[in-house]
Amino acid sequence: MPSLSEITEGRILSLGRGATVGIVGGGQLGRMMAISARYMGLKVGVLDPTDDCPTGQVADFQIVADYDDQEAIRQLAQRCDVLTYEFENVDADALDQVSDLVAIPQGTDLLRVTQHRIHEKTFINQHGIETAPWKQVDSRFDLEAALSEIGYPAVLKTATGGYDGHGQLVIKSEDDLEQLDKLQPWAGHRTSADGFPPCVLEGFVDFDFEASILVSGNGRDYVTFPLVRNDHRNNILHMTIAPAQVPETVADEAWKLALTLAEGFRLAGTLAIELFVTKNGRVLVNELAPRPHNSGHYTIEACSISQYDAHIRGIIGWDLEQPRLLSPAVMVNILGQHVAATQKLAPSHPEWNVHDYGKAQIKTNRKMGHITVLTEDTGRTVQELEATGCWDDLD
């Protein structure tokens, strides 16, 4: 097995059978990473505060501790050959402190950029890629100045900590400013003198639809997955349609910006890029996720290589093939309130590829699993899924 210095300096960058992948975070994304790693002959360890978490159920070992427990992260590093993470709210400083013990091919620069919206948007724009118009906002005075420039409607987002719509406030008029206290739980550790959390104000984009594209790399070469269309309900991804039906110019623009960002990060692993596609065909980047993504679940059945296989191959330094879409597909999330209905119907729907994440507690709006359907007619499949009534609560 290559030494740590050989891996981190990029001279060999290849791990093989029997090496151990450590995953910080034990949710469904880590679970599917672990399954891919196990198929490749790798061992898997996970750090997560919940005993018998989804990833722990398929891993070789689990360290039960909080994500920011530096001693626990050190223990994981000592038992692994490479570390990765399944979500971006990981303590980058804690990872830096164990970089002498274990390879971290994704690095922490990618993590720091993607977990801070100001850094993220700056990075994207510096690479010549368009986002919604935005302004940094650190106080009520900054907000008023930014609104006078960007105008209504706009979206105020905390710089750190938001997900699935948390840490966001849509501002349609001055009256909505009375709701600013809703941002406080997601304010992070630093606030201005008037208690205002660091934020960005984004101009509202009149988009045609939301989309995403995945790109994977091994630090040298980069490959992309198809552009897909996403349907969000209540700020949570509901359904992904692969591929997105768009003009070739739109797909090419998404492909080019994905490769530009991958090269900018010297990407190892999988990066998800959330997009807005406007009615006139402009492609704007909304957010980045430095790991596999909910909208890429369809790749397990529908592509020649899944986003999870590509992620693991990338972080252990293996070569990557350009993914091929083997079949159009529709992926739909199973939230807590959908579990009973989908479990009842699944036996009579052999076309459903059902993935259960193994979470012990069923909660409303908690992602409990997903279903992927391979199809030649995505429009008809969407109608058939919605006609089951399993997702009527999202209407």
Side-chain angles (χ1 to χ4, degrees):
M1 184 178 297
S3 69
L4 177 60
S5 62
E6 290 173 320
I7 295 169
T8 54
E9 292 175 15
R11 292 196 294 269
I12 293 182
L13 270 177
S14 185
L15 295 174
R17 186 175 186 273
T20 302
V21 176
I23 303 173
V24 181
Q28 62 268 21
L29 299 177
R31 180 187 183 92
M32 288 178 271
M33 286 182 202
I35 291 170
S36 288
R38 295 293 292 269
Y39 274 127
M40 296 178 200
L42 304 166
K43 296 179 180 178
V44 178
V46 60
L47 171 66
D48 193 271
T50 303
D51 190 22
D52 197 38
C53 62
T55 308
Q57 294 166 16
V58 298
D60 292 276
F61 68 89
Q62 178 181 350
I63 296 174
V64 180
D66 290 334
Y67 304 123
D68 59 355
D69 186 326
Q70 295 190 7
E71 178 55 34
I73 291 176
R74 178 166 290 274
Q75 290 176 23
L76 182 67
Q78 289 170 336
R79 299 179 65 177
C80 297
D81 298 289
V82 61
L83 282 189
T84 186
Y85 38 81
E86 66 133 26
F87 65 103
E88 47 269 49
N89 292 323
V90 177
D91 188 338
D93 290 339
L95 292 182
D96 281 338
Q97 291 179 15
V98 298
S99 60
D100 60 329
L101 300 175
V102 65
I104 309 175
Q106 293 161 277
T108 52
D109 288 343
L110 171 63
L111 194 59
R112 288 187 169 91
V113 168
T114 55
Q115 65 188 192
H116 196 286
R117 287 190 170 102
I118 296 169
H119 299 162
E120 179 178 83
K121 292 181 183 300
T122 300
F123 184 91
I124 293 167
N125 293 156
Q126 285 176 341
H127 284 78
I129 297 169
E130 189 176 7
T131 61
W134 65 278
K135 288 290 182 181
Q136 180 173 343
V137 172
D138 290 313
S139 67
R140 182 64 179 259
F141 176 81
D142 288 346
L143 176 59
E144 292 172 356
L147 281 169
S148 67
E149 182 172 341
I150 290 177
Y152 298 98
V155 183
L156 184 66
K157 300 179 180 180
T158 54
T160 61
Y163 69 95
D164 285 347
H166 295 290
Q168 299 186 21
L169 178 65
V170 176
I171 303 175
K172 298 179 180 178
S173 69
E174 190 173 345
D175 292 340
D176 292 321
L177 298 178
E178 298 177 3
Q179 306 299 316
L180 284 176
D181 60 339
K182 290 183 177 180
L183 294 174
Q184 295 307 311
W186 303 94
H189 300 295
R190 183 178 67 84
T191 60
S192 64
D194 60 2
F196 202 95
C199 293
V200 295
L201 183 75
E202 295 179 9
F204 195 79
V205 176
D206 184 19
F207 56 86
D208 188 18
F209 63 91
E210 294 178 85
S212 60
I213 188 168
L214 303 169
V215 57
S216 299
N218 57 16
R220 307 178 303 274
D221 304 306
Y222 312 102
V223 299
T224 58
F225 289 83
L227 180 71
V228 299
R229 180 171 181 143
N230 297 322
D231 175 18
H232 288 79
R233 309 277 178 90
N234 302 321
N235 294 310
I236 301 173
L237 180 64
H238 167 54
M239 183 177 287
T240 293
I241 300 171
Q245 298 299 314
V246 296
E248 187 175 341
T249 54
V250 172
D252 284 347
E253 181 65 22
W255 171 75
K256 289 175 184 176
L257 70 84
L259 290 180
T260 296
L261 290 172
E263 291 167 358
F265 285 120
R266 295 187 63 188
L267 180 67
T270 294
L271 172 73
I273 305 168
E274 298 180 34
L275 305 165
F276 295 129
V277 179
T278 68
K279 292 179 174 63
N280 62 0
R282 291 164 60 212
V283 180
L284 285 69
V285 174
N286 179 27
E287 293 182 350
L288 307 178
R291 35 77 180 171
H293 192 257
N294 193 167
S295 67
H297 291 339
Y298 77 95
T299 62
I300 297 173
E301 286 86 17
C303 291
S304 57
I305 179 174
S306 77
Q307 65 166 341
Y308 303 101
D309 292 339
H311 181 77
I312 296 299
R313 291 183 70 96
I315 65 170
I316 65 174
W318 290 12
D319 290 344
L320 292 166
E321 67 166 335
Q322 174 57 42
R324 290 175 290 115
L325 184 68
L326 304 178
S327 169
V330 177
M331 187 286 303
V332 60
N333 272 326
I334 302 172
L335 304 182
Q337 62 267 37
H338 310 140
V339 169
T342 53
Q343 284 185 341
K344 182 179 179 180
L345 290 181
S348 59
H349 283 276
E351 76 280 12
W352 288 6
N353 294 283
V354 181
H355 295 255
D356 187 305
Y357 301 152
K359 295 181 180 179
Q361 276 193 304
I362 298 175
K363 297 180 181 179
T364 298
N365 289 337
R366 188 183 195 193
K367 294 170 184 173
M368 301 298 298
H370 72 268
I371 293 168
T372 299
V373 181
L374 304 184
T375 176
E376 293 302 321
D377 187 337
T378 56
R380 183 188 65 204
T381 299
V382 169
Q383 292 177 349
E384 291 172 348
L385 286 165
E386 298 291 8
T388 65
C390 293
W391 295 273
D392 283 353
D393 68 295
L394 299 179
D395 290 341

